[in-house]
Amino acid sequence: MGLIRVLIVDDHPSVMEGTRAMLEKAGDIDVTISTSASEALSIIPDGRFDVMLFDLYMPQMNGLELAKEVLQTTPNAVILIYTGYDITPHFNLFMDSGVSGFVSKTATQDQLVTAIRCALRGEVVLPLGLLKELRRGTAAAGSADKPEATASITAKDIEILKHLAKGKSNREIADTMLMSQRSLEYGLTQIFQRLQVKSRVEAVVKAKELKILLSDDFL
């Protein structure tokens, strides 16, 4: 394989420079950096980048919004979300947005390079903790031996229920899950219907009874 061309978009210059230094130590990776989404959008269309790393939280346009913008014009773009935050609550949003995966800003040089190479091969590296969460969510949502209401609960519903169990407000949940408050309220309505309940408290209690939520989800 020839030179791998990577674009990093982050509003923290020191982070970008550190990441560029780690990647270019691999010898076959060339890195271009951009400090804003608008600047990135002006250079991405020329198609010279094999992989792009977008910071999740940026002013004006966050990484997911930038990814969606790019994918509208370049559907085959390989984009990784680059973040220092826990991505577990956002995983479904990442996948729905069309990105190819994500990488932590705490990743080592080997992990970072591996993430780049895997993305180019169409593969995704997942932290073990997240993999276990996804497995549990799938089991809870699709188990055939549980009531019909439980089987209809999606992984996104489970994320919302976990936040409810911790007593978070609608605004806090919407902000955490990177969605509008109206979308969250619609999601809650769907959850109430699926669980056949009428309130947040009833939903949490019912989810606990059905083992959709476990004890540690309330901590």
Side-chain angles (χ1 to χ4, degrees), residues 107-191:
T108 65
Q109 179 189 351
D110 286 345
Q111 290 171 330
L112 196 56
V113 172
T114 295
I116 297 293
R117 298 193 193 287
C118 284
L120 277 174
R121 295 196 299 264
E123 301 170 357
V124 178
V125 179
L126 295 180
L128 183 58
L130 172 59
L131 188 63
K132 290 179 178 179
E133 282 290 312
L134 294 175
R135 178 65 185 88
R136 188 177 76 170
T138 301
S143 178
D145 59 354
K146 290 186 177 182
E148 184 177 348
T150 307
S152 66
I153 293 293
T154 67
K156 184 175 181 180
D157 293 338
I158 295 173
E159 289 182 35
I160 294 174
L161 285 165
K162 287 180 179 180
H163 290 303
L164 291 181
K166 290 179 170 61
K168 292 185 178 180
S169 67
N170 285 4
R171 171 50 60 192
E172 289 174 324
I173 298 173
D175 289 345
T176 299
M177 296 185 66
L178 302 181
M179 61 196 301
S180 69
Q181 191 163 340
R182 178 174 294 181
S183 295
L184 174 67
E185 290 168 354
Y186 175 78
L188 285 173
T189 299
Q190 296 299 307
I191 292 172

Coordinates of all heavy atoms in Angstrom, one line a residue, residues 107-191:
A107 N -5.9 7.3 22.9 CA -5.3 6.1 22.3 C -3.8 6.2 22.1 O -3.2 7.3 22.0 CB -5.9 5.9 20.9
T108 N -3.1 5.1 22.2 CA -1.6 5.1 22.0 C -1.3 5.2 20.5 O -2.2 5.1 19.7 CB -1.0 3.8 22.6 OG1 -1.6 2.7 21.8 CG2 -1.4 3.5 24.0
Q109 N -0.1 5.4 20.2 CA 0.3 5.4 18.8 C -0.1 4.2 18.1 O -0.7 4.3 17.0 CB 1.8 5.6 18.7 CG 2.3 5.7 17.2 CD 3.8 5.7 17.1 OE1 4.5 5.8 18.1 NE2 4.3 5.5 15.9
D110 N 0.2 3.0 18.7 CA -0.2 1.8 18.0 C -1.7 1.7 17.8 O -2.2 1.2 16.7 CB 0.3 0.6 18.8 CG 1.8 0.3 18.7 OD1 2.4 0.9 17.8 OD2 2.3 -0.4 19.6
Q111 N -2.5 2.1 18.8 CA -3.9 2.0 18.7 C -4.4 2.9 17.6 O -5.3 2.6 16.8 CB -4.6 2.3 20.0 CG -4.4 1.3 21.1 CD -4.9 1.7 22.5 OE1 -4.8 2.9 22.8 NE2 -5.3 0.8 23.3
L112 N -3.8 4.1 17.5 CA -4.3 5.1 16.6 C -4.0 4.6 15.1 O -4.8 4.7 14.2 CB -3.5 6.4 16.9 CG -4.0 7.7 16.2 CD1 -5.5 7.9 16.6 CD2 -3.2 8.9 16.7
V113 N -2.8 4.1 14.9 CA -2.4 3.7 13.6 C -3.2 2.5 13.2 O -3.7 2.3 12.1 CB -0.9 3.3 13.6 CG1 -0.5 2.6 12.3 CG2 0.0 4.5 13.7
T114 N -3.5 1.6 14.2 CA -4.3 0.4 13.9 C -5.7 0.8 13.5 O -6.3 0.3 12.6 CB -4.4 -0.5 15.2 OG1 -3.1 -1.0 15.5 CG2 -5.4 -1.7 14.9
A115 N -6.3 1.8 14.2 CA -7.6 2.3 13.9 C -7.7 2.8 12.4 O -8.6 2.6 11.7 CB -8.0 3.4 14.8
I116 N -6.6 3.6 12.0 CA -6.5 4.1 10.6 C -6.5 2.9 9.6 O -7.2 2.9 8.6 CB -5.3 5.0 10.5 CG1 -5.4 6.2 11.4 CG2 -5.1 5.4 9.0 CD1 -6.4 7.2 11.0
R117 N -5.6 2.0 9.9 CA -5.5 0.9 8.9 C -6.8 0.0 8.9 O -7.2 -0.4 7.8 CB -4.3 0.0 9.3 CG -2.9 0.7 9.3 CD -1.8 -0.2 9.4 NE -0.5 0.4 9.7 CZ 0.2 1.2 8.8 NH1 -0.3 1.3 7.6 NH2 1.3 1.7 9.2
C118 N -7.4 -0.2 10.0 CA -8.6 -1.0 10.0 C -9.7 -0.3 9.3 O -10.5 -0.9 8.5 CB -9.1 -1.2 11.5 SG -8.1 -2.5 12.3
A119 N -9.8 1.0 9.5 CA -10.8 1.8 8.8 C -10.7 1.7 7.2 O -11.7 1.5 6.5 CB -10.8 3.3 9.2
L120 N -9.4 1.7 6.8 CA -9.2 1.6 5.3 C -9.6 0.2 4.8 O -10.0 0.0 3.7 CB -7.7 1.8 5.1 CG -7.2 3.2 4.9 CD1 -5.7 3.3 4.8 CD2 -7.9 3.9 3.7
R121 N -9.6 -0.8 5.7 CA -10.0 -2.2 5.3 C -11.5 -2.4 5.5 O -12.0 -3.5 5.3 CB -9.2 -3.2 6.1 CG -7.7 -3.2 5.8 CD -7.0 -4.5 6.3 NE -7.2 -4.7 7.8 CZ -6.3 -4.3 8.7 NH1 -5.1 -3.8 8.3 NH2 -6.5 -4.5 10.0
G122 N -12.2 -1.4 6.0 CA -13.6 -1.5 6.3 C -13.9 -2.3 7.6 O -14.9 -2.8 7.7
E123 N -12.9 -2.2 8.5 CA -13.1 -2.8 9.8 C -13.2 -1.8 10.9 O -12.7 -0.7 10.7 CB -11.9 -3.8 10.1 CG -11.7 -4.9 9.0 CD -10.4 -5.6 9.1 OE1 -9.6 -5.2 10.0 OE2 -10.2 -6.5 8.4
V124 N -13.7 -2.2 12.0 CA -13.9 -1.2 13.1 C -13.3 -1.9 14.4 O -13.6 -3.1 14.7 CB -15.4 -0.9 13.4 CG1 -15.5 0.0 14.6 CG2 -16.0 -0.2 12.2
V125 N -12.5 -1.1 15.1 CA -12.0 -1.6 16.4 C -12.9 -1.1 17.5 O -13.1 0.1 17.6 CB -10.5 -1.1 16.6 CG1 -10.0 -1.6 18.0 CG2 -9.7 -1.7 15.5
L126 N -13.4 -2.0 18.4 CA -14.3 -1.5 19.5 C -13.6 -1.8 20.8 O -13.1 -2.9 21.0 CB -15.6 -2.3 19.4 CG -16.6 -2.1 18.2 CD1 -17.8 -2.9 18.4 CD2 -16.9 -0.6 18.1
P127 N -13.8 -0.9 21.8 CA -13.3 -1.2 23.1 C -14.1 -2.4 23.7 O -15.3 -2.5 23.4 CB -13.6 0.1 23.9 CG -13.7 1.2 22.8 CD -14.2 0.5 21.6
L128 N -13.4 -3.2 24.5 CA -14.1 -4.4 25.0 C -15.3 -4.0 25.8 O -16.4 -4.7 25.8 CB -13.1 -5.2 25.8 CG -13.7 -6.5 26.4 CD1 -14.2 -7.4 25.3 CD2 -12.6 -7.3 27.2
G129 N -15.2 -2.9 26.6 CA -16.3 -2.5 27.5 C -17.5 -2.2 26.7 O -18.7 -2.5 27.0
L130 N -17.3 -1.5 25.5 CA -18.5 -1.1 24.7 C -19.1 -2.4 24.0 O -20.3 -2.5 23.9 CB -18.0 -0.2 23.6 CG -19.0 0.2 22.5 CD1 -20.3 0.8 23.1 CD2 -18.4 1.1 21.5
L131 N -18.2 -3.3 23.6 CA -18.7 -4.5 23.0 C -19.6 -5.3 24.0 O -20.7 -5.8 23.6 CB -17.5 -5.4 22.6 CG -17.8 -6.7 21.8 CD1 -18.4 -6.3 20.4 CD2 -16.6 -7.5 21.6
K132 N -19.3 -5.3 25.2 CA -20.1 -6.0 26.2 C -21.4 -5.3 26.4 O -22.5 -5.9 26.6 CB -19.4 -6.1 27.6 CG -18.2 -7.1 27.5 CD -17.4 -7.1 28.9 CE -16.3 -8.1 28.8 NZ -15.6 -8.2 30.1
E133 N -21.4 -4.0 26.4 CA -22.6 -3.2 26.5 C -23.6 -3.5 25.3 O -24.8 -3.6 25.5 CB -22.3 -1.7 26.6 CG -21.8 -1.2 27.9 CD -22.9 -1.2 29.0 OE1 -24.0 -0.7 28.7 OE2 -22.6 -1.8 30.0
L134 N -23.0 -3.5 24.1 CA -23.8 -3.8 22.9 C -24.4 -5.2 23.0 O -25.5 -5.4 22.6 CB -22.9 -3.6 21.7 CG -22.4 -2.2 21.4 CD1 -21.5 -2.2 20.2 CD2 -23.6 -1.2 21.1
R135 N -23.6 -6.1 23.5 CA -24.1 -7.5 23.6 C -25.3 -7.6 24.5 O -26.3 -8.2 24.3 CB -23.0 -8.4 24.0 CG -23.4 -9.9 24.2 CD -23.8 -10.5 22.8 NE -24.3 -11.8 23.0 CZ -25.6 -12.1 23.3 NH1 -26.5 -11.1 23.4 NH2 -26.0 -13.3 23.4
R136 N -25.1 -6.9 25.7 CA -26.2 -6.9 26.6 C -27.4 -6.2 26.1 O -28.6 -6.7 26.3 CB -25.8 -6.2 27.9 CG -26.8 -6.3 29.1 CD -26.3 -5.7 30.3 NE -26.4 -4.2 30.3 CZ -26.2 -3.4 31.3 NH1 -25.9 -4.0 32.5 NH2 -26.3 -2.2 31.2
G137 N -27.2 -5.1 25.4 CA -28.4 -4.4 24.8 C -29.1 -5.2 23.8 O -30.3 -5.2 23.7
T138 N -28.3 -5.9 22.9 CA -29.0 -6.8 21.9 C -29.8 -7.9 22.6 O -30.9 -8.2 22.2 CB -27.9 -7.4 21.0 OG1 -27.1 -6.4 20.4 CG2 -28.5 -8.3 20.0
A139 N -29.2 -8.5 23.6 CA -29.9 -9.6 24.3 C -31.2 -9.1 25.0 O -32.2 -9.7 24.9 CB -29.0 -10.2 25.4
A140 N -31.1 -7.9 25.5 CA -32.3 -7.3 26.2 C -33.4 -7.0 25.2 O -34.6 -7.1 25.5 CB -31.9 -6.1 27.0
A141 N -33.0 -6.5 24.0 CA -33.9 -6.0 23.0 C -34.5 -7.2 22.2 O -35.6 -7.1 21.7 CB -33.3 -5.0 22.1
G142 N -33.8 -8.3 22.1 CA -34.3 -9.3 21.1 C -34.5 -10.6 21.7 O -34.8 -11.6 20.9
S143 N -34.4 -10.8 23.0 CA -34.6 -12.2 23.5 C -36.0 -12.7 23.3 O -37.0 -12.1 23.6 CB -34.4 -12.1 25.0 OG -34.6 -13.4 25.6
A144 N -36.1 -13.9 22.7 CA -37.4 -14.4 22.3 C -38.2 -14.9 23.5 O -39.4 -15.1 23.4 CB -37.2 -15.6 21.3
D145 N -37.6 -15.2 24.6 CA -38.3 -15.7 25.7 C -38.8 -14.6 26.7 O -39.2 -14.9 27.8 CB -37.4 -16.7 26.5 CG -36.1 -16.1 27.0 OD1 -35.9 -14.9 26.7 OD2 -35.4 -16.8 27.8
K146 N -38.7 -13.3 26.3 CA -39.2 -12.3 27.1 C -40.5 -11.7 26.5 O -40.8 -12.0 25.4 CB -38.1 -11.1 27.2 CG -36.9 -11.6 28.0 CD -36.0 -10.4 28.2 CE -34.8 -10.8 29.1 NZ -33.9 -9.7 29.4
P147 N -41.3 -10.9 27.3 CA -42.5 -10.4 26.8 C -42.4 -9.6 25.5 O -41.3 -9.1 25.3 CB -43.0 -9.5 28.0 CG -42.3 -10.1 29.2 CD -41.0 -10.6 28.7
E148 N -43.4 -9.5 24.8 CA -43.4 -8.8 23.5 C -42.9 -7.4 23.7 O -42.2 -6.8 22.8 CB -44.8 -8.8 22.9 CG -44.8 -8.2 21.5 CD -46.2 -8.3 20.9 OE1 -47.0 -9.1 21.4 OE2 -46.4 -7.6 19.8
A149 N -43.3 -6.7 24.8 CA -42.9 -5.3 25.0 C -41.4 -5.2 25.1 O -40.8 -4.2 24.6 CB -43.6 -4.8 26.3
T150 N -40.8 -6.2 25.7 CA -39.3 -6.1 25.8 C -38.7 -6.3 24.5 O -37.7 -5.7 24.2 CB -38.9 -7.2 26.8 OG1 -39.6 -7.1 28.0 CG2 -37.4 -7.1 27.1
A151 N -39.2 -7.2 23.7 CA -38.6 -7.6 22.4 C -38.6 -6.4 21.5 O -37.8 -6.3 20.5 CB -39.3 -8.7 21.8
S152 N -39.5 -5.4 21.7 CA -39.7 -4.3 20.8 C -38.8 -3.1 21.2 O -38.6 -2.1 20.5 CB -41.1 -3.8 20.7 OG -41.5 -3.3 21.9
I153 N -38.1 -3.2 22.4 CA -37.3 -2.2 22.9 C -35.9 -2.2 22.1 O -35.3 -3.2 21.9 CB -37.0 -2.3 24.4 CG1 -38.3 -2.1 25.2 CG2 -35.9 -1.4 24.8 CD1 -38.8 -0.7 25.1
T154 N -35.5 -1.0 21.6 CA -34.3 -0.9 20.8 C -33.1 -0.6 21.7 O -33.3 -0.2 22.8 CB -34.5 0.1 19.7 OG1 -34.6 1.4 20.3 CG2 -35.7 -0.1 18.9
A155 N -31.9 -0.7 21.1 CA -30.7 -0.3 21.8 C -30.8 1.2 22.2 O -30.3 1.6 23.3 CB -29.5 -0.6 21.0
K156 N -31.3 2.0 21.3 CA -31.4 3.5 21.6 C -32.4 3.7 22.8 O -32.2 4.5 23.7 CB -31.9 4.2 20.4 CG -32.0 5.7 20.6 CD -32.3 6.4 19.3 CE -32.4 7.9 19.4 NZ -32.7 8.6 18.2
D157 N -33.5 2.9 22.8 CA -34.4 3.0 23.9 C -33.7 2.7 25.3 O -34.0 3.3 26.3 CB -35.6 2.0 23.7 CG -36.5 2.4 22.6 OD1 -36.5 3.5 22.1 OD2 -37.2 1.5 22.1
I158 N -32.9 1.7 25.2 CA -32.2 1.2 26.4 C -31.3 2.4 26.9 O -31.1 2.6 28.1 CB -31.4 -0.1 26.2 CG1 -32.4 -1.2 25.9 CG2 -30.5 -0.4 27.4 CD1 -31.7 -2.5 25.5
E159 N -30.6 3.0 26.0 CA -29.7 4.2 26.3 C -30.6 5.2 27.1 O -30.2 5.8 28.1 CB -29.1 4.8 25.1 CG -28.0 4.0 24.4 CD -27.4 4.7 23.2 OE1 -27.3 5.9 23.3 OE2 -27.1 4.0 22.3
I160 N -31.7 5.5 26.5 CA -32.6 6.6 27.1 C -33.1 6.1 28.5 O -33.0 6.9 29.5 CB -33.8 6.8 26.3 CG1 -33.4 7.5 24.9 CG2 -34.8 7.7 27.0 CD1 -34.5 7.7 23.9
L161 N -33.4 4.8 28.6 CA -33.9 4.3 29.9 C -32.8 4.4 31.0 O -33.0 4.6 32.2 CB -34.4 2.9 29.7 CG -35.7 2.7 29.1 CD1 -36.0 1.3 28.6 CD2 -36.9 3.2 30.0
K162 N -31.6 4.1 30.6 CA -30.4 4.2 31.5 C -30.3 5.6 32.1 O -30.0 5.8 33.2 CB -29.1 3.8 30.8 CG -29.0 2.3 30.6 CD -27.7 1.9 29.9 CE -27.6 0.4 29.7 NZ -26.3 0.1 29.1
H163 N -30.5 6.6 31.2 CA -30.4 8.0 31.6 C -31.6 8.3 32.6 O -31.4 9.0 33.6 CB -30.4 8.9 30.4 CG -29.1 8.9 29.6 ND1 -27.9 9.1 30.2 CD2 -28.9 8.6 28.3 CE1 -26.9 9.0 29.3 NE2 -27.5 8.7 28.1
L164 N -32.7 7.8 32.3 CA -33.9 8.0 33.1 C -33.6 7.4 34.5 O -34.0 8.0 35.5 CB -35.1 7.4 32.5 CG -35.7 8.0 31.2 CD1 -37.0 7.2 30.8 CD2 -36.1 9.4 31.5
A165 N -33.0 6.3 34.5 CA -32.8 5.6 35.8 C -31.8 6.4 36.7 O -31.9 6.3 37.9 CB -32.2 4.2 35.5
K166 N -31.0 7.2 36.0 CA -30.1 8.0 36.8 C -30.7 9.4 37.2 O -30.0 10.3 37.7 CB -28.8 8.2 36.0 CG -27.9 7.0 35.9 CD -26.7 7.2 35.1 CE -25.7 6.0 35.2 NZ -26.3 4.8 34.7
G167 N -32.0 9.6 36.8 CA -32.7 10.8 37.2 C -32.4 12.0 36.3 O -32.6 13.1 36.8
K168 N -31.8 11.8 35.1 CA -31.5 13.0 34.3 C -32.8 13.6 33.7 O -33.7 12.9 33.4 CB -30.5 12.6 33.2 CG -29.2 12.1 33.7 CD -28.2 11.9 32.5 CE -26.8 11.5 33.0 NZ -25.9 11.2 31.9
S169 N -32.7 14.9 33.5 CA -33.8 15.6 32.9 C -33.8 15.4 31.4 O -32.8 14.9 30.8 CB -33.7 17.1 33.1 OG -32.6 17.6 32.4
N170 N -34.9 15.7 30.7 CA -35.0 15.6 29.3 C -33.9 16.3 28.6 O -33.3 15.9 27.6 CB -36.4 16.0 28.8 CG -37.5 15.0 29.1 OD1 -37.3 14.0 29.7 ND2 -38.7 15.3 28.6
R171 N -33.7 17.6 29.0 CA -32.6 18.4 28.4 C -31.3 17.7 28.5 O -30.5 17.7 27.6 CB -32.6 19.8 29.0 CG -31.5 20.7 28.6 CD -31.2 20.7 27.1 NE -32.4 21.2 26.4 CZ -32.5 21.2 25.1 NH1 -31.6 20.6 24.3 NH2 -33.6 21.7 24.5
E172 N -31.0 17.2 29.7 CA -29.7 16.6 30.0 C -29.5 15.3 29.1 O -28.4 15.1 28.5 CB -29.5 16.2 31.4 CG -29.4 17.3 32.4 CD -29.4 16.9 33.8 OE1 -30.2 16.0 34.2 OE2 -28.7 17.5 34.6
I173 N -30.6 14.6 28.9 CA -30.5 13.4 28.1 C -30.3 13.7 26.6 O -29.5 13.1 25.9 CB -31.8 12.5 28.3 CG1 -31.9 12.0 29.7 CG2 -31.7 11.3 27.3 CD1 -33.2 11.3 30.0
A174 N -31.1 14.7 26.2 CA -31.0 15.2 24.8 C -29.6 15.7 24.5 O -29.0 15.3 23.4 CB -32.0 16.3 24.5
D175 N -29.0 16.4 25.4 CA -27.6 16.9 25.2 C -26.6 15.8 25.1 O -25.7 15.8 24.3 CB -27.3 18.0 26.3 CG -28.0 19.3 26.1 OD1 -28.6 19.5 25.1 OD2 -28.1 20.0 27.1
T176 N -26.8 14.9 26.1 CA -25.8 13.7 26.1 C -25.9 12.9 24.9 O -24.9 12.4 24.4 CB -26.1 12.9 27.4 OG1 -26.0 13.7 28.6 CG2 -25.2 11.7 27.4
M177 N -27.1 12.7 24.4 CA -27.3 11.8 23.2 C -27.2 12.6 21.9 O -27.5 12.0 20.8 CB -28.6 11.0 23.3 CG -28.6 10.1 24.5 SD -30.1 9.1 24.6 CE -29.9 8.0 23.2
L178 N -26.9 13.9 21.9 CA -26.7 14.7 20.7 C -28.0 14.6 19.9 O -27.9 14.4 18.7 CB -25.5 14.2 19.9 CG -24.2 14.2 20.6 CD1 -23.1 13.8 19.7 CD2 -23.9 15.6 21.2
M179 N -29.1 14.9 20.5 CA -30.4 14.9 19.8 C -31.2 16.1 20.3 O -30.9 16.6 21.4 CB -31.1 13.6 20.0 CG -31.5 13.3 21.4 SD -32.0 11.6 21.7 CE -33.4 11.4 20.6
S180 N -32.2 16.5 19.5 CA -33.1 17.6 20.0 C -34.0 17.1 21.1 O -34.3 15.9 21.2 CB -33.9 18.1 18.8 OG -34.9 17.2 18.4
Q181 N -34.5 18.1 21.9 CA -35.4 17.7 23.0 C -36.7 17.2 22.4 O -37.3 16.3 23.0 CB -35.6 18.9 23.9 CG -36.4 18.5 25.2 CD -36.3 19.6 26.2 OE1 -35.4 20.5 26.2 NE2 -37.2 19.6 27.2
R182 N -37.1 17.7 21.3 CA -38.3 17.2 20.7 C -38.2 15.7 20.2 O -39.1 14.9 20.4 CB -38.7 18.0 19.5 CG -40.0 17.6 18.7 CD -40.4 18.5 17.6 NE -40.8 19.8 18.2 CZ -41.2 20.8 17.5 NH1 -41.3 20.7 16.1 NH2 -41.6 22.0 18.0
S183 N -37.0 15.4 19.7 CA -36.8 14.0 19.3 C -36.7 13.1 20.5 O -37.3 12.0 20.4 CB -35.4 13.9 18.5 OG -35.5 14.6 17.3
L184 N -36.2 13.6 21.6 CA -36.1 12.8 22.8 C -37.5 12.5 23.3 O -37.9 11.4 23.7 CB -35.3 13.5 23.9 CG -35.3 12.7 25.2 CD1 -34.7 11.4 25.1 CD2 -34.7 13.6 26.3
E185 N -38.4 13.6 23.3 CA -39.7 13.4 23.8 C -40.5 12.5 23.0 O -41.3 11.7 23.5 CB -40.4 14.8 23.9 CG -39.8 15.7 24.9 CD -40.2 17.2 24.8 OE1 -40.9 17.5 23.8 OE2 -39.9 18.0 25.7
Y186 N -40.3 12.5 21.7 CA -40.9 11.5 20.8 C -40.5 10.1 21.1 O -41.3 9.2 21.2 CB -40.6 11.8 19.3 CG -41.1 10.8 18.4 CD1 -42.5 10.8 18.0 CD2 -40.3 9.8 17.8 CE1 -43.0 9.8 17.1 CE2 -40.8 8.9 16.9 CZ -42.1 8.9 16.6 OH -42.6 7.9 15.7
G187 N -39.1 10.0 21.4 CA -38.6 8.7 21.8 C -39.2 8.2 23.1 O -39.5 7.0 23.2
L188 N -39.4 9.1 24.0 CA -40.0 8.7 25.3 C -41.4 8.2 25.1 O -41.9 7.2 25.7 CB -40.0 9.9 26.3 CG -38.6 10.2 26.9 CD1 -38.7 11.5 27.7 CD2 -38.2 9.1 27.8
T189 N -42.2 8.9 24.2 CA -43.5 8.4 23.9 C -43.5 7.0 23.4 O -44.4 6.2 23.8 CB -44.2 9.4 22.9 OG1 -44.2 10.7 23.5 CG2 -45.6 9.0 22.6
Q190 N -42.6 6.7 22.5 CA -42.5 5.4 21.9 C -42.2 4.3 23.0 O -42.7 3.2 23.0 CB -41.5 5.4 20.8 CG -41.8 6.2 19.6 CD -43.1 5.8 18.9 OE1 -43.2 4.7 18.5 NE2 -44.0 6.8 18.8
I191 N -41.3 4.7 23.9 CA -40.9 3.8 25.0 C -42.1 3.5 25.9 O -42.4 2.4 26.3 CB -39.7 4.4 25.8 CG1 -38.4 4.4 24.9 CG2 -39.5 3.5 27.1 CD1 -37.3 5.1 25.6

